[in-house]
Amino acid sequence: MHAALKTTLLAAFAILPAFAQAEPWTYTDGAGETITLEQVPTRIIATEDAAAALIPLGIRPVGIIGNSLPEDSKALQGLDLAGIEMVGVTHNEIDLEKAAILQPDLVIAEYWPLDKEWGGGAAVTGPGSPLRELAPVTGPAQLDSVVGLIEEYEALAASLGADLSAPAIAEAKAEFERARDAFSAAAQAKPNLTALAVWAGNDGLWVAAPEGAAELMDLQRWGLDFLKTDLNPDSGYWETVSWERSDKYQPDIILIDNRVATNRANAEAKPTWTAIKAAADGSVGEWPAYWLRNYRAYAGELDKLTAVVEAADENLTSEQ
Amino acid sequence: MTFAEPIAGVRRQVPLLAGLIGLAVIVLAIAFLSITVGARPVTLDTVWAALTAYDPNSTDHRIIWELRLPRTVVGLLVGAALGLAGAVLQGATRNPLADPSILGIHAGAALFVVLGVAVLGISQLSLYVWLAFAGAGAAMLAVYAIASVGREGATPIKLALAGSAMTAALQSIVSAILLTSPRTLDEVRFWQVGSLAGRSMDVVVQVAPFLAIGIVLALASGRMLDGLSMGEDVARALGQNVRRSRAIAGLAAVILAGASTAAAGPIAFVGLTVPHVARAITGPNYRWILPYSMLLAPILLLGADILGRIIAPPGEVQVGIVTAFLGAPFFIALVRRRKLATL
């Protein structure tokens, strides 16, 4: 009797996905557009950022639109890409034939409301792009929090049939929460501490405004204060400062954009790098700029930042 | 100069020599400005103190020694190299539009350097120079070979066309490599417009010997270029080995353009514009055009660089952008005002 019930139940479960296939799938994207497909999409092409979010949640795209070769991509590092086709390895470019062969049901990208642009580049995912003739483009919006973005992806992945109760996902989240709490405790223990996020260019020091980067907004929310800068709305969220004026801003800690591994060495090679007191003091951390999309990567970066904050002198500079 | 030479020639030489000395003084003045003016206001006293009693703990002193001084020296050398390379190429190809960027030399040098960085992972500056030479030489030979196809050989027009096509092709490859390789991301702007910022004394030490050889070769080729400028047949009748003259001029141009690209990236317009200004002052004699170009070009280049440092505080505008902005209208005015000499 028991056995018979078991078999019936198993059979029922086996048929369920078949029913699910037949249900329509709708999603409202970050630009506010709702799309409806006749069934849940399974063959997904994702931008590298979307892929970095979806793969850890158990949704494996068939193709990835990269901005670089996968080995050079911070977003994709440490992810298993076996069997996934790279349909692009350059920003704003895509191999349309490769994409067509994959027969995608859906393209997942991110909407950047400030630029009113879809990730991967306007020519690739923007309105009227040839890729949109293969499959619709949708995805969450880049707002002011990476955590918020990951949660958007969780909802999207669940609608695509991901099992969010998988132990690996819970583990990653717990790991992140531990790292976040440690960072928050370290940051709040030093109320006078100010930070500055930079890119060390050859032509000058590029100073970032936290408002333009979701992960910096997260750090600010968890208790890290950023130095006030002269933001020029025309130049977006970056201010270029000549290396002669590198001491214009004096934070207690500097965070260097780590998208390119050589960025720190470039900074240290500049004769006026140490005119920034924090640099002379060695209070330099990494800024995971624009590429964090999953809890595991976030935890790793937060642990490194916590160590920098704990070692920093909050009264190195008196500026607020 | 001999007694047989007409008096008018001598009369002409004296003001030209005076003009050359005047230019040398202006070059010194511009170099002085380049050390004293920048994104950060530094008083003259501080500059003097930095040069005479260097204190490594002072940011101002470090800026003078480690940022402005190398930048000034690179600007002087690269400027002289670009001016000479342009003049030599215009003379050797008898093409008023010849310059290292138009004949594909800059693009070739940039391509090889970018390939070296992106593909071979080279980060030593000492190797950049050799890569730039190899690229400049390869591009120039290729352009010359393409232009030589056909009965009448490498005419000025065919050289310019082949060079422009080569430049476009090579630049698109450079862009493709830079876009696919984030490791070379930061060098992007540098290899596309050229800049004097962020170059240290190592760069100077690396490229100075090559530039010195190139400058001597170029200055020594004045008589040959005068011969060539009368046309190949006349030059041959005067007992000149045309092929060898062209080869020497080409070598000088490759060394100068390659080394200057390695030091500052491809800077356009200086090599094209300056020889025409020199020609307007000196007349068609290359023994004067060459030294005039050598002194006029660093004035333009460093002047543009100083301008770029102060027009967009607290940032800077790259010199390649400023020279294009200054050079383009200037060149157009020059073309409109006097008919370009057919060389």
Side-chain angles (χ1 to χ4, degrees):
Chain A
M1 181 67 211
H2 259 307
L5 185 64
K6 228 179 191 170
T7 332
T8 324
L9 275 176
L10 276 176
F13 276 124
I15 295 165
L16 265 179
F19 277 120
Q21 290 287 313
E23 277 180 26
W25 179 84
T26 66
Y27 181 75
T28 303
D29 68 28
E33 309 256 333
T34 302
I35 66 162
T36 304
L37 300 177
E38 284 170 17
Q39 52 188 22
V40 177
T42 52
R43 300 186 62 77
I44 291 163
I45 290 182
T47 58
E48 65 174 33
D49 290 337
L54 293 170
I55 294 172
L57 298 173
I59 298 291
R60 290 185 71 77
V62 290
I64 291 179
I65 304 167
N67 286 330
S68 65
L69 295 169
E71 59 267 30
D72 290 328
S73 160
K74 287 297 271 187
L76 296 175
Q77 68 183 12
L79 296 175
D80 169 22
L81 303 178
I84 301 178
E85 183 79 50
M86 294 300 291
V87 296
V89 288
T90 308
H91 178 71
N92 230 356
E93 279 179 33
I94 185 169
D95 186 333
L96 209 62
E97 282 183 26
K98 272 187 187 174
I101 289 167
L102 292 174
Q103 296 184 311
D105 306 324
L106 184 68
V107 176
I108 297 181
E110 281 169 11
Y111 184 68
W112 294 71
L114 292 172
D115 311 321
K116 296 194 171 52
E117 227 183 60
W118 286 90
V124 175
T125 50
S129 66
L131 181 65
R132 284 180 180 251
E133 298 186 5
L134 296 177
V137 174
T138 191
Q142 260 280 355
L143 295 166
D144 62 351
S145 161
V146 174
V147 177
L149 188 60
I150 294 175
E151 284 164 357
E152 289 278 334
Y153 274 116
E154 285 178 335
L156 175 57
S159 80
L160 293 169
D163 173 18
L164 296 183
S165 62
I169 295 174
E171 262 169 52
K173 188 162 184 174
E175 173 70 358
F176 159 77
E177 282 168 350
R178 177 203 54 75
R180 179 200 59 200
D181 294 342
F183 175 83
S184 189
Q188 284 172 358
K190 296 187 176 172
N192 287 337
L193 193 77
T194 53
L196 189 69
V198 301
W199 162 272
N202 266 332
D203 51 345
L205 181 71
W206 292 60
V207 174
E211 292 78 5
E215 61 283 339
L216 297 180
M217 295 300 282
D218 275 341
L219 300 181
Q220 200 167 31
R221 216 170 277 122
W222 298 327
L224 181 68
D225 288 330
F226 282 87
L227 203 62
K228 282 266 174 293
T229 56
D230 302 339
L231 258 189
N232 175 0
D234 302 340
S235 61
Y237 290 94
W238 292 95
E239 181 187 2
T240 327
V241 177
S242 159
W243 279 110
E244 292 195 0
R245 303 268 303 268
S246 64
D247 59 355
K248 178 176 174 182
Y249 295 121
Q250 291 291 2
D252 300 313
I253 58 171
I254 310 177
L255 305 179
I256 300 191
D257 187 329
N258 69 1
R259 276 176 295 180
V260 176
T262 51
N263 202 8
R264 183 159 182 171
N266 274 354
E268 283 163 358
K270 297 288 181 277
T272 52
W273 172 242
T274 48
I276 311 172
K277 290 177 192 154
D281 184 57
S283 300
V284 181
E286 290 180 38
W287 165 27
Y290 308 106
W291 58 266
L292 288 174
R293 291 295 181 280
N294 58 65
Y295 284 135
R296 195 164 291 286
Y298 214 152
E301 294 296 321
L302 278 171
D303 284 340
K304 285 191 279 180
L305 286 168
T306 305
V308 173
V309 169
E310 281 173 348
D313 170 7
E314 62 172 322
N315 298 317
L316 182 71
T317 63
S318 53
E319 295 180 54
Q320 275 297 315
Chain B
M1 262 173 32
T2 61
F3 286 112
E5 268 193 277
I7 298 294
V10 182
R11 274 212 198 113
R12 196 96 205 271
Q13 307 251 331
V14 175
L16 280 178
L17 194 62
L20 210 54
I21 293 165
L23 278 183
V25 172
I26 298 178
V27 168
L28 289 176
I30 276 272
F32 172 78
L33 271 180
S34 171
I35 292 172
T36 51
V37 177
R40 181 198 190 88
V42 178
T43 61
L44 280 179
D45 300 347
T46 316
V47 173
W48 182 247
L51 296 176
T52 50
Y54 177 60
D55 168 15
N57 295 325
S58 150
T59 301
D60 283 354
H61 285 205
R62 277 213 308 274
I63 284 170
I64 301 298
W65 268 101
E66 297 183 44
L67 290 178
R68 287 192 198 165
L69 212 59
R71 195 171 178 165
T72 304
V73 176
V74 169
L76 290 172
L77 288 173
V78 166
L82 288 171
L84 278 173
V88 166
L89 285 170
Q90 287 175 11
T93 61
R94 298 182 59 208
N95 179 348
L97 288 179
D99 96 317
S101 357
I102 286 176
L103 291 182
I105 301 175
H106 271 160
L111 175 65
F112 271 48
V113 174
V114 169
L115 273 175
V117 175
V119 180
L120 307 174
I122 290 170
S123 57
Q124 275 171 287
L125 202 114
S126 49
L127 294 169
Y128 275 21
V129 181
W130 293 106
L131 285 168
F133 284 151
M140 186 155 178
L141 286 174
V143 167
Y144 198 81
I146 294 168
S148 301
V149 175
R151 236 166 6 114
E152 61 285 327
T155 59
I157 288 287
K158 278 163 71 183
L159 268 176
L161 289 173
S164 307
M166 181 66 75
T167 298
L170 296 178
Q171 271 176 346
S172 61
I173 302 175
V174 170
S175 301
I177 294 169
L178 290 173
L179 285 169
T180 48
S181 172
R183 277 186 299 117
T184 44
L185 184 81
D186 192 35
E187 295 276 312
V188 172
R189 289 181 301 276
F190 177 75
W191 287 109
Q192 285 177 337
V193 287
S195 163
L196 302 180
R199 307 284 118 189
S200 62
M201 267 301 175
D202 312 349
V203 181
V204 176
V205 173
Q206 274 300 330
V207 300
F210 298 111
L211 288 173
I213 294 167
I215 288 170
V216 170
L217 257 184
L219 287 175
S221 64
R223 192 176 288 273
M224 293 183 326
L225 295 173
D226 281 337
L228 286 177
S229 67
M230 294 179 228
E232 288 186 27
D233 299 341
V234 178
R236 278 203 193 89
L238 290 170
Q240 227 186 336
N241 180 336
V242 170
R243 188 162 291 188
R244 200 188 59 195
S245 302
R246 281 235 167 99
I248 291 173
L251 183 67
V254 163
I255 293 176
L256 290 169
S260 63
T261 306
I267 295 172
F269 265 114
V270 178
L272 176 68
T273 314
V274 164
H276 287 286
V277 182
R279 211 171 277 116
I281 302 170
T282 64
N285 186 333
Y286 273 94
R287 271 165 291 177
W288 285 109
I289 292 174
L290 289 169
Y292 264 78
S293 298
M294 182 178 95
L295 294 179
L296 279 166
I299 296 173
L300 170 63
L301 188 67
L302 269 185
D305 191 44
I306 295 167
L307 203 63
R309 293 178 213 174
I310 51 180
I311 51 179
E316 296 181 6
V317 180
Q318 286 169 288
V319 71
I321 296 171
V322 184
T323 50
F325 256 98
L326 291 176
F330 185 78
F331 190 67
I332 291 165
L334 194 81
V335 173
R336 284 183 55 100
R337 212 173 52 88
R338 49 191 304 276
K339 268 180 52 185
L340 274 184
T342 36
L343 303 178

